[in-house]
Amino acid sequence: MLWKRIYNFCSRANVQRKRPVNVSLVLGGATALGAGCSLAEYYRRNYHAELSQQYFTKYKISYRKDIDIDHYLLELTPLKQQRSNLWALFGARKLWAVEIKQPDIMVVRQYTPLPFVADSERDLITPLRDGDNGGGKLMFYIKEYGSGEVARWLRKLPKGHIVEVRGPYPEFEFPELETDLKRNREFLWGGESAPQRFRARPFDISLFTAGTGIVTALQLLTTEDPFKGKIQLFYSCKSWRQLGPLGDFLHLCAKQGRVDLHIFESEKGDSLRLGLSKVRDLVSSPFPYSEGAPFEERLQVEPVLSLVCGPDDYVACIAGPRHGLSQGPVMGLLGTKGWDNSNVYKLS
Ligand SMILES: Cc1cc2nc3c(=O)[nH]c(=O)nc-3n(C[C@H](O)[C@H](O)[C@H](O)COP(=O)(O)OP(=O)(O)OC[C@H]3O[C@@H](n4cnc5c(N)ncnc54)[C@H](O)[C@@H]3O)c2cc1C
């Protein structure tokens, strides 16, 4: 077809301009163009450079920082720079993860990328600026389990080791808001983030997370065009220190009033599950949401949706158990506060 179109074009050009055309030059150019296209297609198919759900893309380990005996940060750099900017594409509208393959036992596990890149020399991480995809680098906050397969294996790999990644997999999608403004996040680099007035009123959420489930909050709060409403965050962990440098970014978000932090550190004897009667007063009942309502400044969080992310027993305590792959009825703490399946989602 390409040839036919070029041929037709040549004949039209001949008729209109009535000038002799150097056919061999045109054919030579077309051949070169065709060869170029085939080469690009061959390259795309054989090297699988762009991250996709259809095949695995190769990344190398470019940074690892051990936070404590169980937790570490891991940065993966694609062998070929990525063209698409998933941070700009998804913003805070989608919670997303990727799959990393353990080739020896042929299993994959999902991990939630965070919009940070490492500065190995200074041993610190910085958030990616708007419009910058860091060449496609992916940063992860991972917990290793004693008997776990993939997180334990990943931690032992040396810098430069190649791993294979597939995705992205959106896990939860928020309703699209009609907004005119991108939410700023200059404060993440120590700057000032002026208050913004959006056209429509953003909605607030409650987020219940335990352990590495905190990555969901971190992705929403630090991504390009971050979550526009307020997040009431209940975070259960052994110690705040296990977040390493990510804890500082969470504190910055709290200082900006973007998140109301309720932290339960078991090493201090704080437990959401054991102190349920006290926690019940902190947890809101669901608020109604009027779509398209005009923007208004509110100090208090008015959650219209609750997300729950953590180990099975934690999810069961907060919102009732999942039934296999289905959500199961909303019970537990949220059930007693009037939440139900229309406004609660148990993340996997
Ligand atoms: C959408 C999604 C995003 C995720 N993002 C992240 C992330 O960013 N960071 C991260 O660290 N993990 C994340 N996970 C969890 C991750 O996919 C793996 O389940 C986890 O790393 C354990 O895998 P493993 O192969 O090391 O252990 P496995 O071989 O699967 O587990 C072996 C044993 O480890 C223990 N174990 C495993 N998982 C848990 C758990 N969650 N709680 C308590 N004990 C457990 C159990 O005793 C289990 O029998 C995510 C999961 C999903 C579904």
Side-chain angles (χ1 to χ4, degrees), residues 96-97 107 109-113 140-152 169 171 212 215 310-312 348:
W96 60 283
V107 296
R109 297 277 188 266
Q110 293 204 332
Y111 294 96
T112 307
F140 302 97
Y141 171 64
I142 299 181
K143 176 171 183 184
E144 169 187 341
Y145 297 95
S147 54
E149 296 286 358
V150 178
R152 200 159 46 99
Y169 295 97
E171 208 207 349
T212 52
V215 289
D312 288 345
S348 51

Side-chain angles (χ1 to χ4, degrees), residues 192-213:
E192 286 289 317
S193 287
Q196 291 174 291
R197 290 188 70 82
F198 304 106
R199 194 183 303 152
R201 188 172 115 191
F203 53 86
D204 300 339
I205 61 168
S206 287
L207 187 46
F208 295 83
T209 67
T212 52

Side-chain angles (χ1 to χ4, degrees), residues 42-73:
Y42 173 83
Y43 192 83
R44 194 189 66 76
R45 280 175 185 274
N46 289 281
Y47 291 90
H48 292 157
E50 201 68 9
L51 186 66
S52 162
Q53 293 181 5
Q54 313 305 322
Y55 49 76
F56 286 97
T57 297
K58 289 187 165 56
Y59 286 67
K60 68 167 187 265
I61 295 180
S62 43
Y63 176 79
R64 200 193 63 232
K65 183 186 177 71
D66 291 334
I67 296 174
D68 61 21
I69 190 166
D70 299 318
H71 300 85
Y72 60 99
L73 292 169

